[in-house]
Amino acid sequence: MSDAPDPLRSLFQQAGQDGVRRARPAPVGNIAERGRRRHRRRLAVAVAGLCLAAGTGGAAALTLLSQAPAPVPPAVVPSPDPPVPLPQDRSPSPSPTDAPVPGRTSPPATTDGSTPPGTPTTSPPTPTRTTPGAA
């Protein structure tokens, strides 16, 4: 670069010096007012965000709590048919002490109602009535 004077360069230097002379700081009142406005905006945004979050959370909680729970099935499944009553002409069943035990042998009865000792016989098991659905 040459040392020749450049007219554009000298014009830029003059403009810079003129700007430095005219520059002054902004008044304190203006700076304080801008700071207050910025603070109010930040607070408004924060409060709006909190309200939105609280409203959304409350709506979600209300939705979850207002749903009815699923019905609980009964503990025992009811039988489809009621139990059938026994016929009236049937004699009452023998007591548990009189009932024969399946697989045991008992001596046959004689004509006089006594059983001779030592005569083994097998009696069939007593049929039992069950109702459907009974456990």
Side-chain angles (χ1 to χ4, degrees):
M1 300 230 178
S2 67
D3 288 334
D6 186 11
L8 189 59
R9 183 175 184 192
S10 64
L11 287 175
F12 274 123
Q13 285 176 347
Q14 283 177 355
Q17 290 170 357
D18 190 38
V20 168
R21 270 183 272 140
R22 289 185 182 183
R24 27 190 138 100
V28 175
N30 289 353
I31 295 173
E33 181 60 32
R34 283 194 321 229
R36 282 191 289 269
R37 279 193 307 246
R38 181 167 223 145
H39 181 69
R40 281 192 301 258
R41 283 189 208 125
R42 284 182 182 168
L43 278 179
V45 168
V47 168
L50 286 175
C51 288
L52 182 65
T56 304
L62 184 63
T63 302
L64 290 175
L65 292 177
S66 68
Q67 292 177 351
V72 179
V76 178
V77 178
S79 62
D81 298 328
V84 179
L86 295 174
Q88 297 299 329
D89 62 331
R90 189 171 171 176
S91 65
S93 62
S95 67
T97 56
D98 296 341
V101 178
R104 261 193 155 170
T105 58
S106 62
T110 59
T111 55
D112 62 351
S114 65
T115 54
T119 333
T121 59
T122 304
S123 62
T126 307
T128 57
R129 174 175 276 199
T130 58
T131 57

